Amino acid sequence: MPIEPIYTRIVADIRAKIASGELKPGDKLPSVAQLRAQYDASNTAVRNAMLVLREAGVVEGHQGKGVYVRKPEK
């Protein structure tokens, strides 16, 4: 059984928090440093997770401000 990369676990966890309502549209995600500590992950793993979530349209980044749960398009 292959080992799951840590970034996929981060993606799944953030998606689950959004689905459960723990994270709502417009909410700011924890910083890279906070996510690193929370998941015991590298910068690369956290950044890969954010890239996957951005490409999927789940989150959006604002330079110098952070990453936020994206509001659904109407």
Side-chain angles (χ1 to χ4, degrees):
M1 187 159 133
I3 297 173
E4 179 184 28
I6 186 72
Y7 81 90
T8 60
R9 193 171 52 136
I10 297 169
V11 169
D13 192 45
I14 290 172
R15 284 181 179 266
K17 287 179 179 180
I18 293 168
S20 74
E22 186 178 338
L23 285 172
K24 296 172 182 51
D27 283 355
K28 185 176 179 181
L29 268 56
S31 69
V32 171
Q34 290 169 323
L35 290 170
R36 279 183 40 218
Q38 181 178 344
Y39 293 99
D40 192 27
S42 67
N43 271 340
T44 302
V46 172
R47 291 187 192 284
N48 285 344
M50 293 302 106
L51 183 61
V52 168
L53 290 167
R54 274 191 198 130
E55 287 177 353
V58 176
V59 300
E60 57 189 5
H62 298 281
Q63 186 69 33
K65 293 185 180 176
V67 177
Y68 296 82
V69 177
R70 190 169 181 179
K71 296 177 182 166
E73 293 185 17
K74 297 179 181 181

